[in-house]
Amino acid sequence: MASDPMSVNSSAREPPAPPGSGGADEPKYGGYTRFELELEFVQALGNPLYLNHLASRKLLSNPAFIAYLDYLQYWSRPPYLKYITYPGPTLKNLQLLQQEKFRQDIISPDLVERLRVEGMKAGIDWHRESFPSTA
């Protein structure tokens, strides 16, 4: 099945064309382009609870899924980077998922909670830096 990213060798695939780059004839899967589907998935990787879910389903030990995570690293480069809503946690987690130890450890609720708290703190710090109090 062509719409299943793990049905083909992901490392041999080219990233999808970003919007406005002439990829208008790209096939749709359930009404969405591969670009839109991969963007939604890669953004979900910014959520530590979702990573824990993937680990609990044993996807993070599946060689085809690990190859797909490696393939998704194109999101860390232009022109794709600008489409990620929260690039900090998304790209950090995508990078961490390249490490076998992290893929094994994310099953731990303690690690999930630590990543969640770090993410909240980073968001608060960014907000304080970006919008300093005028009082």
Side-chain angles (χ1 to χ4, degrees):
M1 173 187 226
S3 63
D4 179 6
M6 293 189 294
S7 68
V8 296
N9 181 355
S10 295
S11 62
R13 293 182 78 173
E14 290 293 319
S21 63
D25 59 339
E26 183 166 343
K28 302 234 177 185
Y29 306 94
Y32 298 97
T33 64
R34 187 164 58 103
F35 176 87
E36 293 168 317
L37 294 171
E38 290 182 1
L39 174 59
E40 182 174 351
F41 178 73
V42 82
Q43 289 190 118
L45 298 177
N47 182 340
L49 294 169
Y50 183 61
L51 299 181
N52 178 265
H53 171 74
L54 294 175
S56 72
R57 303 285 310 233
K58 308 236 185 283
L59 285 169
L60 298 183
S61 59
N62 178 322
F65 193 76
I66 294 166
Y68 184 62
L69 293 171
D70 181 54
Y71 156 79
L72 289 174
Q73 290 190 87
Y74 73 85
W75 286 100
S76 65
R77 300 181 299 275
Y80 302 96
L81 178 61
K82 71 181 179 181
Y83 295 99
I84 299 176
T85 304
Y86 300 104
T90 299
L91 297 178
K92 175 186 174 189
N93 290 348
L94 183 58
Q95 183 180 28
L96 288 170
L97 284 165
Q98 306 308 311
Q99 303 169 21
E100 183 178 0
K101 177 142 177 53
F102 179 79
R103 292 192 306 268
Q104 294 169 350
D105 292 349
I106 194 61
I107 196 74
S108 164
D110 293 336
L111 177 56
V112 171
E113 180 62 13
R114 192 170 81 232
L115 287 173
R116 193 189 66 73
V117 169
E118 284 177 11
M120 293 294 286
K121 183 180 180 322
I124 291 168
D125 291 347
W126 175 86
H127 191 278
R128 285 185 181 150
E129 292 170 9
S130 298
F131 305 100
S133 174
T134 57

